[in-house]
Amino acid sequence: MHSYPVSYRQLLRLAINAQRTQTSKASYATIQSLRKAPPVELDDIPSDNDFILSILRANASSRDAKPYFASFSPRPRVPATVPQPSDDSIPTSEVRTEPSLVTEQPKVNSLVESIIDPVIRRTALVKMQGPFTQVQLDSIARGMVYLEKLGLVSVIIVENDDIHRGEQDSRNVIVEDIMRLVSCLEKHGARARPVLGAVVRLGPRPGDPEIPQDFISPEAHTFPSDLVPIRSALQSGEIPVIPPFALDSFCRSVRIDANDVIGALARGMVEAGSQNSSSSVNRIADASGEVDLTPLRLMIINREGGVPSYARNGFPHLLINLDSESKHIRETFHESWRHTHKTALSNLALAKTCLSYMPPTSSAVMVSHRSQSSLIGNLITNRPAVSSSLPHALLQGNRKLTPHTPTLIRRGLPIRVVRSVEDIDRNKMNALLEQSFQRTLEETDFYDRLNHTLDFVIIAGDYAGAAIVTNEPSSDLSQPISYLDKFAVLPSHQGDGTVDFLWVALHDESYGLGHPFSANPNGGKEGQGEGRDLVWRSRANNPVNKWYFERSSGHVRMGDWVLFWCDAEKRLKQEQARRGRAGLSYVEDWEGGRLASWIDVVQKIPSSWRK
């Protein structure tokens, strides 16, 4: 019997008990059931083992799963106060109480209890971009059922890329696709409701302000009353499946682009969710299992997969920072991809539109029907299947990185590079460093040192994160050591992608310089120049060291410290080519003496903190 980490045991208990919640729901009727479909065979319902394996493949640690617990665990309750004797002179041991008539229950860990019974159920907007074969549809439906067991209920909009608007019988084909999907969901144990009427209205919402040029507003809108069919389905424990229809000015139902429907629903559901959360009625409903209308995820399931990346030879982007990368992605999109990934850019624009309405913690994921099981890992961790900040060479050789690897999309933050101490907002930088390290900065000494040694600072957003790199003189080496003095992210932004966005920018500006895939628009050198070895140190007991181990070329112990480094990738590649098939030895000639020099310099760098 294997001993899994705590988070695995908790998720296993959730998986085993999730099926039980399905049997306690009231009977229902949908159009599918009214058509007298044949009874569902028990063998067609996915087993608990499949569900458990899907969770285990997420490979989530307790730290990774924190966003999931924060979203789906019940809100903390105020403990009831026990009346105390008014006479303070009575010792506690002398207070008599009547024996309880209630049998004492064994204590259960609150975290385990919260995920076994996910009180807060959230919604996801799902674009099903078909057509799909029956086998593909079965696979996707099984994934939707698994997500529902974990507390994420899908609101599905069906699109068929092979049937264009205006074609004869196009509406009938869409309706047939919806009924096939409803049938598949019910076959795999879910309850689904086809919502065949229009839930959005054509055109922009009356009275909306002028839209910025870089924002694509949906050509549809919705009012609270339009969401009644969706709300009704969710409250009944059913997955609503919706066609891309809208009401025009003559109240006729017309087919429109599915992206416009999804964009309108994202805005309308966020507004409805925020209105409900402010009412006392909703607080009571939360405790009874009410579904939160505010979308937690946007999921785009298609036949193409994620957004192809020029930096990965056409393999998908792993993580996209919309704020700083969307324009660059469009500019570097190869012409050949317009045939193999016809809707990648329009789906990227859809993600930008929806995430602008959704909460900052929300994300979008673009995934092939072949990788639907990865949606579970994304739900639990809210992170990409493979970290985008891992070394590029490792990603290229990693079997997990395939044409079907999903692309995770976050609203993100702007990234900029500054090279002068005068360009640093000291108040904001001090707050960032002190909150991140939980220590008090020795401000005067710290900035005096930067005045002499600063190379550059990478700043994410409004000082949500920063990487400070200095040039440390060395008498043994021909050039100064490139030293990562500080790498900090505000606690409120840990887990939202800022760490990866910041490290990728650090890679592009230091040890990754000179490679085409480092030409990202971060306000720095944009790939032009020669890469340099990057060196930094960390306390030996720092819990972040595991993350550093995965991203560094090597490390060496220095007493209470660990010295990490990343080799300049361009030079490392040249050395590998020079040696050919002989490979690299443990310590190359060009590495001789550099570790001793690094250790000597790094050990002399003074602390930045007050004692």
Side-chain angles (χ1 to χ4, degrees):
M1 181 70 179
H2 296 286
S3 176
Y4 295 111
V6 173
S7 60
Y8 286 170
R9 293 202 302 270
Q10 294 165 348
L11 290 172
L12 283 172
R13 291 188 63 183
L14 171 62
I16 293 169
N17 286 275
Q19 287 279 17
R20 300 175 187 170
T21 63
Q22 299 292 326
T23 61
S24 63
K25 296 178 179 178
S27 60
Y28 67 100
T30 65
I31 292 179
Q32 175 64 24
S33 60
L34 292 175
R35 287 164 55 177
K36 298 182 179 179
V40 177
E41 297 292 336
L42 292 179
D43 291 341
D44 291 333
I45 300 178
S47 68
D48 285 337
N49 290 338
D50 292 337
F51 183 41
I52 293 169
L53 288 174
S54 297
I55 295 174
L56 293 179
R57 289 190 193 103
N59 196 28
S61 65
S62 296
R63 181 185 179 92
D64 293 336
K66 281 184 178 180
Y68 171 79
F69 296 136
S71 297
F72 293 91
S73 298
R75 295 186 174 95
R77 300 172 183 175
V78 179
T81 58
V82 179
Q84 298 295 329
S86 57
D87 190 348
D88 295 337
S89 63
I90 303 177
T92 305
S93 60
E94 296 182 10
V95 177
R96 296 179 180 271
T97 59
E98 294 296 327
S100 173
L101 298 178
V102 180
T103 303
E104 184 178 354
Q105 299 294 326
K107 293 182 179 180
V108 181
N109 181 285
S110 59
L111 191 57
V112 174
E113 185 180 33
S114 68
I115 63 173
I116 290 176
D117 183 20
V119 175
I120 307 301
R121 303 182 71 79
R122 308 299 296 273
T123 55
L125 275 171
V126 181
K127 178 183 180 183
M128 290 273 292
Q129 187 178 335
F132 297 110
T133 66
Q134 190 60 44
V135 173
Q136 294 166 351
L137 209 58
D138 279 333
S139 176
I140 295 170
R142 187 179 299 113
M144 297 295 101
V145 173
Y146 289 167
L147 291 174
E148 185 185 26
K149 292 178 181 179
L150 289 168
L152 190 70
V153 186
S154 300
V155 177
I156 304 175
I157 296 85
V158 174
E159 181 63 289
N160 189 318
D161 286 345
D162 290 352
I163 306 299
H164 303 287
R165 282 180 287 172
E167 287 187 13
Q168 188 177 5
D169 293 332
S170 64
R171 290 173 59 89
N172 293 336
V173 173
I174 292 292
V175 171
E176 184 60 30
D177 286 346
I178 287 175
M179 299 311 301
R180 286 177 60 222
L181 177 57
V182 168
S183 178
C184 281
L185 290 168
E186 293 180 342
K187 171 185 174 183
H188 290 288
R191 296 163 58 186
R193 179 189 297 186
V195 181
L196 301 182
V199 294
V200 302
R201 300 167 187 262
L202 195 59
R205 180 184 294 182
D208 272 354
E210 187 173 342
I211 305 299
Q213 291 184 352
D214 60 345
F215 180 74
I216 300 178
S217 177
E219 291 295 325
H221 65 280
T222 187
F223 292 120
S225 59
D226 300 324
L227 299 177
V228 169
I230 295 176
R231 192 190 298 272
S232 173
L234 295 175
Q235 290 176 343
S236 300
E238 299 169 342
I239 297 175
V241 185
I242 304 167
F245 298 162
L247 288 178
D248 66 9
S249 57
F250 297 99
C251 292
R252 296 174 302 191
S253 177
V254 296
R255 185 186 173 194
I256 64 172
D257 193 313
N259 288 4
D260 290 323
V261 176
I262 297 170
L265 285 178
R267 178 181 180 182
M269 291 172 65
V270 167
E271 292 173 349
S274 62
Q275 291 172 1
N276 288 345
S277 63
S278 62
S279 67
S280 59
V281 175
N282 188 73
R283 287 193 292 272
I284 297 173
D286 283 343
S288 63
E290 172 76 8
V291 179
D292 187 343
L293 271 183
T294 304
L296 187 69
R297 296 283 192 278
L298 168 67
M299 299 179 179
I300 301 170
I301 304 175
N302 57 28
R303 296 173 295 173
E304 304 170 1
V307 181
S309 168
Y310 73 97
R312 308 194 190 283
N313 298 323
F315 279 6
H317 283 273
L318 298 172
L319 177 65
I320 292 178
N321 179 347
L322 283 173
D323 197 293
S324 63
E325 296 180 42
S326 55
K327 181 181 178 182
H328 185 63
I329 290 173
R330 291 196 300 269
E331 292 174 348
T332 56
F333 201 80
H334 292 177
E335 191 63 32
S336 61
W337 297 338
R338 298 184 186 276
H339 302 284
T340 58
H341 296 74
K342 298 179 180 179
T343 61
L345 294 182
S346 62
N347 282 331
L348 186 65
L350 171 64
K352 187 172 185 177
T353 298
C354 292
L355 291 177
S356 68
Y357 298 127
M358 294 159 66
T361 54
S362 298
S363 62
V365 60
M366 198 180 305
V367 60
S368 160
H369 62 84
R370 296 175 182 268
S371 303
Q372 51 80 24
S373 61
S374 63
L375 295 175
I376 290 180
N378 170 253
L379 172 62
I380 296 173
T381 66
N382 203 13
R383 294 181 181 178
V386 183
S387 175
S388 60
S389 62
L390 286 170
H392 189 79
L394 178 61
L395 288 175
Q396 289 294 83
N398 195 322
R399 293 183 180 179
K400 292 182 180 179
L401 192 59
T402 71
H404 302 287
T405 300
T407 296
L408 181 67
I409 306 170
R410 306 296 296 255
R411 187 188 304 181
L413 297 166
I415 303 291
R416 59 193 176 99
V417 178
V418 300
R419 301 188 179 277
S420 170
V421 177
E422 287 72 25
D423 294 330
I424 300 174
D425 186 318
R426 295 195 179 190
N427 291 332
K428 293 181 179 180
M429 180 62 78
N430 295 351
L432 165 62
L433 296 178
E434 292 182 352
Q435 288 185 47
S436 179
F437 287 91
Q438 296 294 303
R439 301 185 69 180
T440 303
L441 189 69
E442 192 66 68
E443 183 178 352
T444 302
D445 293 345
F446 177 68
Y447 287 104
D448 283 347
R449 201 176 80 81
L450 289 187
N451 278 322
H452 295 90
T453 62
L454 180 65
D455 187 1
F456 61 86
V457 181
I458 303 174
I459 301 170
D462 190 16
Y463 289 81
I468 301 175
V469 177
T470 60
N471 289 316
E472 303 295 335
S474 171
S475 58
D476 298 334
L477 302 175
S478 59
Q479 62 178 348
I481 296 171
S482 184
Y483 177 68
L484 177 59
D485 189 277
K486 294 289 183 291
F487 186 85
V489 174
L490 285 176
S492 59
H493 283 269
Q494 292 174 8
D496 68 356
T498 302
V499 171
D500 279 335
F501 295 145
L502 196 59
W503 192 271
V504 170
L506 175 65
H507 162 275
D508 294 348
E509 201 66 17
S510 57
Y511 64 96
L513 268 180
H515 279 298
F517 51 77
S518 295
N520 293 312
N522 54 30
K525 296 182 179 179
E526 299 189 1
Q528 302 299 317
E530 292 294 324
R532 297 170 59 192
D533 300 331
L534 182 69
V535 179
W536 70 97
R537 69 182 179 184
S538 175
R539 293 277 183 184
N541 60 354
N542 189 345
V544 181
N545 285 347
K546 178 180 182 296
W547 197 83
Y548 287 150
F549 286 137
E550 294 172 344
R551 282 150 186 81
S552 62
S553 301
H555 68 277
V556 62
R557 301 281 179 174
M558 302 188 311
D560 294 336
W561 296 87
V562 180
L563 178 75
F564 294 93
W565 73 90
C566 287
D567 290 309
E569 291 183 347
K570 186 175 181 179
R571 186 193 65 244
L572 193 62
K573 190 172 183 179
Q574 291 171 343
E575 291 293 333
Q576 290 173 328
R578 179 180 60 81
R579 291 181 60 88
R581 294 186 178 182
L584 292 173
S585 63
Y586 187 73
V587 177
E588 292 293 300
D589 294 338
W590 52 268
E591 295 181 283
R594 68 172 185 168
L595 287 181
S597 299
W598 288 348
I599 293 173
D600 180 60
V601 171
V602 169
Q603 284 181 330
K604 295 176 182 177
I605 295 176
S607 172
S608 306
W609 311 107
R610 293 181 185 175
K611 296 181 180 179

